[in-house]
Amino acid sequence: MQDRTGTAVGKPIQRIDAVEKAAGTVRYIDDYTLPGLAYAKLVKSSHAHAKINAIDSTEAWKVPGVRAIITGKMFPFHIGPILADRPPLAIEKVRYYGEPVAIVVADHEYQAKRAAALVKVDYEPLPVVNSVRDAFQTGAPLVHENSGQYMKIISNVYPVQGTNIGSHIKIRKGDFIKTWEACTTKVKETYSFNLSDHVALETRSTRVEIKSSGKVIIHTTTQSPFTIKKVMNQFFNIELGNIIVHTTIVGGAFGGKGTVQLEPLAYLASKAVGGKMVKLDYEREEDLITAPCHIGVEATISLGTNQDGKIIAGQYTFLIDSGAYTDQAAGITRAMALDCTGPYNVPNVWCDSYCMYTNHPYATSFRGYAHPELTFAVERTMDQLAKKLSIDPIVLRKMNVIQPGDTSPTQSVITANNIGDTLKCLERAKDLIQWDAGQRLEISKNKIRAKGISTFWKTSTTATNAQSGAILKFEADGSVNLICAAIELGQGTKTILAQIIAERLKMEMNKIHIMMEVNSSYDPHQWRTVASSTTFLAGRAVLAACDDAISQLKRTAAIALKCSEEDLEVGGDRVYLKPNPEYGVQIKDIALGYQYPNGHAVEGQVVGHGKYIQRHLTPMDKETGFGKPGPWWSVGTQAIEVEWDTRDYTYKILKAVTVLDGGTIINPATATQQMRGGMYLGLSFASSEAFLFDEEGIVQNPQLRTYQIIRFGEQPMEYLVEFIESPAADGPYGARGIGEYGVIGMAGALANSLSTAVQVELNHLPLIPELIWKTKKEHLK
């Protein structure tokens, strides 16, 4: 860490919401209730793929308090963030187990729940597409018969009519075919894992009310309030100015609340009861299987080297289990392609990334947006290539890391400004994991300790016009209110923004007031709180607002002090003369303008405005993938040490290491917490989490009793987190995004360490003892 001498940046300042959360006084969306509130419950599909012959609501209507029952025929249209392929309520057929088929609205929650259970649906089962491999086969049953006819919301999505391909993204760099023939060493491996869940502590919840004036008021758990406005405008023809979205603190999201699902359903429910406020929230089982989940993948990677061990050709094929609808998986498909090589210089690349329809719950964003998944596959391949070349895995990585002057898979030029220092991350992680002390040690008759490493990168895949706005409103006491639409979902973003303000205004943190709630009617536009982009986008907007406020303060102070604005500086709650700091004026005395002794007043309240929009980004070319999809890459290395028991194939995670270059680290304490949380999440996904499907596509583990996440005591015995700081020229105070990075390399590092321990190639997740045992057994045949 670099030593800091500023007011706030680089300091481990306590999060501004810490006391309220610790005291348990934070109110989340589901904590609110109002007199006269109506409640909605969903009727959900009991089949993964079936035609709807009829829906009988006769018995449901007999339940006291029922006010409305809505089916798909009442809104027979499709919606979606990238490709409009999903009806809010199933029309004609259901495509996954747990899909919403109808909504029941009643005076009380128990009435709605009871009535929903009485709605009878006559299904005619259809053949189930139960894996991406099945979906990819010629002649496979079609999940969507007319996918080529769906409306594109974003241009770079490419469904293939008559197949289960929801989108196909291609990367063609160099001459792969010719170079592959010249490779002296080649390796080809396949990897897979099933869909899983985000398991945020707070389940999804929303309330919608339609005012008689036409205003649609939405209170919801979301990372994307302005995306909700856009969707409601596009698909329900509501004027944007009439849509008001409120979001309080969100109780965890991990990407799962970046999409739009409950809000259209609650809107339809409210409309059916005359605009009355309707509450719709998910119980845990619904949050697991009805709400959007985390993608599954089958990946095949081929790497070829020259005689020196330099990778000169790479082929990457990704079959992404999008489930029943594309949602954000179409974007994930693109993200997986654009960074397909990992942080390595591969001059000849052939990548095909497919978004595949199956009859599984549909997938959306997950922390890392394709990168934990592709990194698992790439880093396992790197270890197997190292073994084939008889080279130390770290040495192989250092030989091939991407450097300034190289180009990314999309042929963006890598510079010292847009990428961190991968070699420094590798070296420091190597030291922290004590790599040279031995990668595999037999410590007793039945216990083996082993180490694995994983290097990763990620660019923030945003819209080319992703943007943020900020307003600083000064109070009469000289304190400042920040108004912006960044969502606080546990990551500490608003603390970071407050630190940026404190640094630029040279002001104490207690003088900066932050509202946690977002209200789209008065907060400036914010693209979304996703993609590790909020500190970058909102941070730049906040800096611009600070500069605007400083300009206003100097203008007013120049009048009061009868001097030139150029002679003034702001800091320490004052505006003062640079040559003579003892002469100045308190900010509180000019925050609402300056008043002359005779009573005349000038200027007025200081209100700083700032905005920032992504610059110089381009879409990817359809045929080659050429383009500049992101502003920079953050890079890092993670490592794991495990202790494996040869008797029962169980293991303990002894040590987990993360070394990240995220540019300037604004708050090292919250950044460390971010990494630890991500490491825990990545290890849970790698070691135990997955949906289990029977032959009919029915989820077999839809409760937290049966859906296995890492429990207390199974986490690493020791977390080690360090940062390398290579400031980004265009980031706020040199910062890059870091929010997702703790999760990215964990699966690869864990699989590499266990593969070393067991001495078999573990290429499938989750790494449960039974899978390790089966793989070892197959290896010994």
Side-chain angles (χ1 to χ4, degrees):
M1 293 290 297
Q2 297 178 2
D3 185 38
R4 303 286 182 204
T5 58
T7 302
V9 167
K11 303 295 175 62
I13 291 170
Q14 178 178 288
R15 287 173 48 152
I16 57 179
D17 57 341
V19 173
E20 193 177 8
K21 283 186 172 180
T25 57
V26 172
R27 298 187 72 190
Y28 295 89
I29 291 291
D30 193 39
D31 291 329
Y32 288 82
T33 186
L34 294 167
L37 182 66
Y39 295 84
K41 284 295 177 182
L42 300 180
V43 178
K44 301 174 292 293
S45 171
S46 56
H47 292 261
H49 199 197
K51 182 180 177 182
I52 300 173
N53 289 328
I55 299 176
D56 183 358
S57 57
T58 305
E59 294 301 314
W61 276 111
K62 295 178 182 178
V63 175
V66 171
R67 301 299 175 190
I69 299 176
I70 306 109
T71 65
K73 290 183 179 180
M74 299 176 185
F75 187 80
F77 307 104
H78 293 75
I79 67 174
I82 297 175
L83 184 69
D85 61 357
R86 173 171 56 89
L89 294 168
I91 307 167
E92 296 181 349
K93 73 172 186 175
V94 295
R95 293 181 172 89
Y96 72 96
Y97 173 71
E99 180 171 10
V101 175
I103 310 170
V104 177
V105 186
D107 294 337
H108 298 284
E109 188 173 14
Y110 74 90
Q111 294 169 333
K113 192 171 183 179
R114 181 183 173 195
L118 294 174
V119 174
K120 298 175 182 178
V121 185
D122 179 18
Y123 295 105
E124 181 182 325
L126 297 170
V128 172
V129 181
N130 214 11
S131 72
V132 287
R133 181 167 291 186
D134 290 345
F136 203 62
Q137 299 302 312
T138 301
L142 295 180
V143 179
H144 292 261
E145 292 79 8
N146 301 306
S147 60
Q149 300 175 26
Y150 292 135
M151 180 174 66
K152 293 184 179 183
I153 308 304
I154 296 174
S155 61
N156 54 5
V157 56
Y158 310 106
V160 181
Q161 177 69 35
T163 74
N164 286 310
I165 299 172
S167 188
H168 177 200
I169 303 296
K170 294 183 281 189
I171 300 286
R172 305 289 186 260
K173 175 187 175 187
D175 190 339
F176 169 80
I177 295 174
K178 182 179 179 181
T179 309
W180 183 253
E181 295 301 319
C183 292
T184 57
T185 303
K186 301 176 182 179
V187 63
K188 180 179 180 179
E189 296 292 341
T190 296
Y191 311 89
S192 69
F193 51 87
N194 224 339
L195 295 100
S196 56
D197 195 63
H198 302 79
V199 201
L201 284 179
E202 179 194 30
T203 61
R204 296 160 176 90
S205 177
T206 193
R207 300 192 313 276
V208 174
E209 178 183 16
I210 306 170
K211 297 284 191 179
S212 56
S213 63
K215 298 286 185 184
V216 177
I217 314 298
I218 302 172
H219 297 259
T220 191
T221 55
T222 184
Q223 298 169 252
S224 311
F226 288 91
T227 300
I228 292 172
K229 283 171 66 77
K230 177 183 175 182
V231 167
M232 299 302 289
N233 166 254
Q234 283 179 322
F235 298 108
F236 295 94
N237 200 30
I238 308 167
E239 290 185 10
L240 283 169
N242 280 336
I243 305 165
I244 301 172
V245 182
H246 298 258
T247 300
T248 59
I249 287 179
V250 174
F254 315 114
K257 293 170 183 171
T259 192
V260 180
Q261 189 208 20
L262 280 184
E263 297 81 11
L265 296 174
Y267 170 77
L268 292 173
S270 177
K271 193 172 184 179
V273 293
K276 192 174 185 179
M277 183 178 284
V278 174
K279 182 179 183 180
L280 174 58
D281 55 13
Y282 276 154
E283 298 177 4
R284 178 58 64 181
E285 181 168 328
E286 294 173 309
D287 208 62
L288 280 161
I289 62 170
T290 298
C293 62
H294 171 211
I295 62 168
V297 171
E298 182 176 298
T300 301
I301 294 180
S302 303
L303 296 179
T305 74
N306 62 18
Q307 59 186 8
D308 299 322
K310 292 282 287 184
I311 300 169
I312 57 175
Q315 183 174 16
Y316 310 81
T317 304
F318 303 114
L319 300 180
I320 295 168
D321 192 342
S322 171
Y325 304 104
T326 55
D327 197 73
Q328 283 293 330
I332 292 168
T333 301
R334 183 172 70 96
M336 194 168 287
L338 66 90
D339 276 348
C340 62
T341 59
Y344 305 108
N345 180 36
V346 183
N348 301 282
V349 176
W350 187 289
C351 175
D352 290 288
S353 190
Y354 296 95
C355 180
M356 301 301 302
Y357 288 122
T358 67
N359 291 122
H360 291 159
Y362 73 93
T364 191
S365 309
F366 179 82
R367 193 173 184 179
Y369 206 70
H371 290 74
E373 301 83 5
L374 77 87
T375 301
F376 163 65
V378 168
E379 292 301 297
R380 285 295 299 123
T381 310
M382 290 295 288
D383 258 34
Q384 290 170 85
L385 179 60
K387 184 182 294 184
K388 199 164 187 177
L389 290 166
S390 299
I391 296 176
D392 181 284
I394 291 182
V395 172
L396 178 67
R397 286 169 170 82
K398 290 171 70 174
M399 287 170 55
N400 287 283
V401 293
I402 199 162
Q403 300 272 18
D406 298 331
T407 58
S408 74
T410 65
Q411 301 180 57
S412 291
V413 177
I414 302 300
T415 69
N417 176 55
N418 66 21
I419 197 167
D421 195 325
T422 314
L423 288 173
K424 281 187 179 179
C425 292
L426 267 165
E427 277 297 325
R428 188 57 186 144
K430 176 184 175 182
D431 293 342
L432 291 173
I433 202 68
Q434 297 178 307
W435 186 263
D436 290 338
Q439 298 166 45
R440 187 178 189 274
L441 301 171
E442 296 185 18
I443 61 170
S444 68
K445 181 180 179 182
N446 302 307
K447 298 289 178 67
I448 294 171
R449 289 187 179 179
K451 298 163 187 174
I453 204 151
S454 178
T455 298
F456 59 88
W457 72 341
K458 180 185 182 296
T459 188
S460 283
T461 310
T462 67
T464 56
N465 66 338
Q467 59 191 286
S468 181
I471 298 171
L472 297 183
K473 184 168 69 73
F474 280 66
E475 298 282 7
D477 63 357
S479 63
V480 178
N481 294 285
L482 170 63
I483 301 168
C484 75
I487 302 294
E488 184 59 60
L489 43 88
Q491 81 282 40
T493 286
K494 293 203 169 176
T495 301
I496 298 301
L497 296 179
Q499 287 183 252
I500 291 171
I501 296 168
E503 185 78 16
R504 182 55 65 97
L505 297 180
K506 299 176 185 175
M507 180 179 286
E508 295 298 322
M509 284 283 290
N510 60 11
K511 290 277 191 173
I512 301 163
H513 308 298
I514 310 287
M515 278 294 295
M516 289 298 172
E517 180 180 354
V518 168
N519 182 325
S520 66
S521 65
Y522 58 72
D523 286 325
H525 188 92
Q526 173 82 28
W527 173 60
R528 289 191 286 162
T529 304
V530 297
S532 301
S533 63
T534 309
T535 294
F536 179 74
L537 291 175
R540 286 295 302 265
V542 161
L543 283 175
C546 286
D547 290 343
D548 185 30
I550 289 170
S551 177
Q552 294 176 48
L553 287 168
K554 287 182 177 179
R555 186 164 60 246
T556 307
I559 294 170
L561 297 172
K562 296 182 173 58
C563 67
S564 171
E565 294 177 34
E566 288 76 19
D567 293 335
L568 296 173
E569 187 60 84
V570 175
D573 299 328
R574 300 170 67 240
V575 184
Y576 56 86
L577 285 170
K578 294 177 190 176
N580 299 291
E582 66 271 22
Y583 295 104
V585 61
Q586 295 287 324
I587 289 178
K588 65 185 178 70
D589 294 330
I590 59 171
L592 299 185
Y594 176 68
Q595 187 175 17
Y596 289 102
N598 65 1
H600 294 173
V602 293
E603 292 301 319
Q605 185 178 23
V606 176
V607 181
H609 299 80
K611 59 186 177 181
Y612 186 80
I613 190 166
Q614 289 283 29
R615 299 170 185 177
H616 314 302
L617 302 188
T618 65
M620 295 166 62
D621 180 81
K622 180 181 179 182
E623 297 303 322
T624 66
F626 181 88
K628 186 182 178 184
W632 37 254
W633 289 263
S634 291
V635 297
T637 298
Q638 294 181 305
I640 292 290
E641 182 178 11
V642 296
E643 183 177 280
W644 176 59
D645 193 319
T646 62
R647 294 167 296 183
D648 58 9
Y649 288 77
T650 59
Y651 58 91
K652 295 178 181 177
I653 303 170
L654 303 179
K655 186 183 293 185
V657 170
T658 293
V659 181
L660 177 74
D661 189 339
T664 302
I665 302 301
I666 303 292
N667 187 321
T670 58
T672 300
Q673 291 167 356
Q674 280 273 46
M675 294 307 107
R676 284 186 166 189
M679 293 159 79
Y680 185 97
L681 179 62
L683 289 171
S684 189
F685 151 62
S687 66
S688 60
E689 290 190 45
F691 284 136
L692 304 176
F693 299 95
D694 67 10
E695 293 180 355
E696 301 303 318
I698 309 300
V699 179
Q700 299 298 291
N701 54 337
Q703 310 95 5
L704 289 185
R705 291 190 300 274
T706 52
Y707 179 88
Q708 296 299 313
I709 59 175
I710 287 185
R711 264 57 176 187
F712 181 77
E714 297 173 340
Q715 75 274 15
M717 297 173 67
E718 184 178 13
Y719 286 105
L720 298 175
V721 177
E722 289 192 12
F723 299 100
I724 306 296
E725 297 188 65
S726 304
D730 54 352
Y733 291 105
R736 295 186 185 89
I738 66 169
E740 300 168 278
Y741 290 82
V743 71
I744 293 176
M746 282 288 100
L750 180 64
N752 284 340
S753 64
L754 285 170
S755 294
T756 299
V758 184
Q759 295 182 313
V760 296
E761 303 302 342
L762 299 170
N763 294 342
H764 307 283
L765 302 178
L767 294 163
I768 59 174
E770 182 181 359
L771 172 72
I772 299 171
W773 170 74
K774 285 182 177 179
T775 307
K776 183 73 171 179
K777 187 177 179 182
E778 288 293 321
H779 178 74
L780 294 174
K781 284 185 179 179

